[in-house]
Amino acid sequence: MRSSRNSASPLRGRALVTGGTSGIGLAFANALAQRGCELVLVGRSLTKLEATAQDFRSRGTACDILQADLSTEAGLQLVSDRLLSEESPIEVLINNAGFGLHHKLATTDTDPLIGAIDVMASAVVRVGGASGIAMANRGHGVIINTASVSALVPMGLYSGIKALVRQWSRSLAIEVAPQGVQVMTFMPGWVRTELHERSGITTSNLPDFLFLSPERVVAECLRDVERGKTYSVPSKRFKVIAALAEHAPRPAVEAVTSRINKGRD
């Protein structure tokens, strides 16, 4: 059952969630629905979108869907147009679409790398840019960009992409804050979702205690939004890990990263 709408919270109105049918995206959608938000879910699979939307509607949440592949120009234009619409404005954007990536960098097989850049970097920037314009013109709104603690360490192109998202998101926050738009840079650590399995990434070498649930990291992120923050690293353990990744000696960070990477092969 939905909670009553809190007019004091910035998390209100209509929320658009990319990658909203599973994992962290679905956890965001559930948490926002509980706050009384209406939903627009974006994804590639029409079957999953329809089933997820029907579940929300059965629980009393208004939910629309947009079938869009964010690796394509048509998909990006569809989502951007929806964000720019003033007929039914989007007041919260969860800029979250993505997938796991563990691919050699020294390779001529660069299609997976380019595809990851398209979806998790280029699309994030374009979707966030469209939302930023619309929200700045209205004088309010919230944008949550999913980066990652991996942005702080050299763990392949995925880390490089998330580092770009992290810096771009923090820069966007500075740019649109004077217009009343709050941009949150969301920095989860390891989260237990189907993302790793779908991407063929082994995580058995990592201790279970490092993994958090999607619901926990989303709850902490949204609490930080409501506290007026613009940067969120959920859980004390990953706050410590993030601090060490940023400030420990580079050789030590790279040695630990190398061991983790070898365990994922």
Side-chain angles (χ1 to χ4, degrees), residues 19 31-32 59 68-69 71 73 80 85 91 115 124 128 162 189 195 209 216 237 240 262:
L32 291 167
R59 290 183 274 150
D69 183 345
S71 68
E73 181 62 31
S80 295
S85 170
E91 298 182 67
V124 165
K162 292 302 184 179
L195 178 146
F209 77 87
R216 175 174 175 179
R237 75 194 71 167
V240 171
K262 287 178 181 177

Side-chain angles (χ1 to χ4, degrees), residues 167-179 181-183 230:
Q167 290 297 80
W168 165 80
S169 180
R170 298 179 82 177
S171 300
L172 180 65
I174 294 169
E175 180 178 314
V176 298
Q179 285 75 49
V181 182
Q182 182 182 359
V183 178
T230 59

Side-chain angles (χ1 to χ4, degrees), residues 61-72:
T61 296
C63 186
D64 294 329
I65 61 173
L66 281 180
Q67 184 185 18
D69 183 345
L70 295 179
S71 68
T72 69

Side-chain angles (χ1 to χ4, degrees), residues 4 20 45 56 69 72 81-82 87 93 98 104-105 113 148 151 162 172 187 196 216 221-223:
S4 59
S45 169
F56 277 113
D69 183 345
T72 69
D81 288 346
R82 183 64 187 83
E87 293 182 5
L93 167 66
K104 294 292 185 182
L105 302 180
L113 304 177
S148 171
K162 292 302 184 179
L172 180 65
M187 297 281 291
H196 299 101
R216 175 174 175 179
C221 175
L222 295 182
R223 280 199 299 269

Side-chain angles (χ1 to χ4, degrees), residues 244-261:
L244 290 172
E246 283 201 273
H247 303 297
R250 283 292 97 193
V253 172
E254 290 173 6
V256 171
T257 302
S258 179
R259 289 180 61 186
I260 293 173
N261 282 335

Side-chain angles (χ1 to χ4, degrees), residues 196-218:
H196 299 101
E197 183 178 344
R198 288 204 313 258
S199 305
I201 298 174
T202 300
T203 59
S204 58
N205 63 310
L206 300 172
D208 284 341
F209 77 87
L210 280 179
F211 284 87
L212 302 175
S213 71
E215 292 75 19
R216 175 174 175 179
V217 297
V218 163

